Amino acid sequence: MKLSVIGCGYLGATHAACMADLGHDVIGIDVDPAKVQLLNDGVVPFYEPGLDEVLTRALASGRLRFTTSWDEVADFADVHFLCVGTPQKAGSYAADLRYVDGAIADLAPRLVRPSLVIGKSTVPVGTADRLAAYLLEHAPAGAEVHLAWNPEFLREGFAVQDTVSPDRLVFGIAAAEDEQTMRAVYEPVLVKNTPLVISNRPTAELVKTAANSFLATKISFINAMAEICEVAGADVAVLAEAIGHDERIGSKFLRAGIGFGGGCLPKDIRAFQARVGELGVSDALTFLHDIDEINLRRRAHVVDLARTIVGGRFVGTKVAVLGAAFKPDSDDVRDSPALDIAASVFTQGADVIVHDPKAIENARARFPNLHYSEDLDAVVADADVVLHLTEWKQYRELDPARIGSLVRGKHIIDGRLALDPALWRAAGWNYTALGRPNA
Ligand code: UGA
């Protein structure tokens, strides 16, 4: 089938490459000519394990190309995937829909033959119906242009796997025949017995925000338990393990620590609250405000713990930060808890030096005042305290004895509960983890 993918960021670039790799003819469009050039050259503009191979393969097959031309897109494709970003609007909790609206405004006047526009971006419920009305009015093909919603659940770090073998597919449709078109697009995925849920458009939009809200709630729930464990002498890691054995609860997304960040969970729970406010049912989501607060409190708590460890003031101390990305296997620093903590410690007077295997460039662009190094030994050298804030595999493999010989103070705060306390303590470290007993 001839597909277009509108917006070649994280979601779009992955979707375009995977759809071409699955056998479709795909054209990707982005407003950024530099990004289009990189993608056409086979270079993924961000770090995502495994995506470069898929991109290279798809380009070599001749089934994939990228452009900045809307005319090319409209001439070529009959199915258009909308994959642009919906960031948090400045000064508001609401989602900024300017890229969604802009893309539809560019596409609509060029839709001269029957076509299906499939939204994948995370949008406030009601957006799809509004866009469908716009297309009906502005597309020359009028009622022959259909719109469906097909939320995306991919995780950074697992983007390829989540695209070609998702947990489920959701088709939010307004016309029965669109199901057939979408089944044809996703045929290579559906043959793997991937569960398919068919719904109306508002349900499909809500599935995405509900899923991310639930995940955020799970994380903040365990972090709230960590707050209690800390004062009660209990161990949140053991507690999470024990409750996770109950299949109704499940053990995934119950890792306590400095909480969730990234370009999705934080802004999605805020946009959801803004939207239900507009719909007049804000009481339904008052709990999400607490979820956000618990999450942000964990970051502040690490800063407090570190300050206490270095003697009550950061001025004149050196703080080593392990990790800048919002999670491992990603170079994404959007709303990264790790960087937020690093910046806060810096503001309070410490000399902060940050290590990350992949995210330093993005981190530096965001917080140019912090020091960065890819040399881990240099980062920890003479540190008064080490903060482990993104659980990259290489940090779990560190030798505490060797690192201990480089630092000034053998104090480590494990913000991700990912290091082995026994190992670090045996090497003479004062190991502190959120929600775990301190000895
Ligand atoms: C999230 C969802 O998991 C995806 O299903 C969704 O498609 C995506 O948002 C999106 O809306 O596009 P992602 O942002 O890649 O994916 O990251 P997650 O793996 O969900 O992690 C989010 C944050 O939660 C990270 O900062 C991670 O460190 C933190 N986390 C995760 C915890 O603190 N504890 C956990 O137990 C799990």
Side-chain angles (χ1 to χ4, degrees), residues 42-70:
V43 182
V44 178
F46 46 85
Y47 177 66
E48 178 59 41
L51 183 56
D52 26 11
E53 289 101 78
V54 180
L55 179 67
T56 306
R57 213 163 47 224
L59 289 168
S61 73
R63 290 194 299 269
L64 177 64
R65 69 197 152 98
F66 296 90
T67 182
T68 53
S69 158
W70 283 103

Side-chain angles (χ1 to χ4, degrees), residues 153-154 156 208 212 253 255 260-261 264 326-327 416:
F153 306 105
L154 68 79
E156 295 188 20
K208 175 58 189 271
N212 275 2
F253 269 64
R255 193 168 26 77
F260 57 84
C264 303
F326 85 105
K327 68 173 191 181
R416 291 299 188 176

Side-chain angles (χ1 to χ4, degrees), residues 130-270:
R130 179 172 64 75
L131 297 179
Y134 182 94
L135 286 170
L136 186 61
E137 193 180 334
H138 293 89
E144 307 261 54
V145 174
H146 287 191
L147 180 106
W149 217 261
N150 168 222
E152 177 56 58
F153 306 105
L154 68 79
R155 298 160 296 168
E156 295 188 20
F158 300 90
V160 172
Q161 179 194 320
D162 287 350
T163 303
V164 296
S165 306
D167 300 354
R168 76 293 207 189
L169 287 170
V170 177
F171 295 173
I173 51 176
E177 64 261 40
D178 296 340
E179 181 185 333
Q180 295 320 315
T181 312
M182 292 171 85
R183 278 184 180 274
V185 171
Y186 281 111
E187 213 257 334
V189 177
L190 289 168
V191 290
K192 299 185 219 174
N193 287 328
T194 305
L196 169 63
V197 179
I198 310 278
S199 72
N200 64 13
R201 289 188 302 223
T203 308
E205 291 169 306
L206 270 177
V207 167
K208 175 58 189 271
T209 17
N212 275 2
S213 298
F214 192 84
L215 294 172
T217 301
K218 238 183 144 179
I219 298 169
S220 277
F221 175 84
I222 202 64
N223 282 333
M225 294 304 113
E227 288 189 357
I228 299 165
C229 286
E230 269 164 38
V231 293
D235 188 334
V236 74
V238 178
L239 181 140
E241 186 193 342
I243 63 171
H245 283 303
D246 184 331
E247 280 181 9
R248 295 168 302 173
I249 296 172
S251 59
K252 290 183 181 155
F253 269 64
L254 274 189
R255 193 168 26 77
I258 56 172
F260 57 84
C264 303
L265 262 45
K267 63 106 177 152
D268 286 352
I269 62 168
R270 293 175 194 147

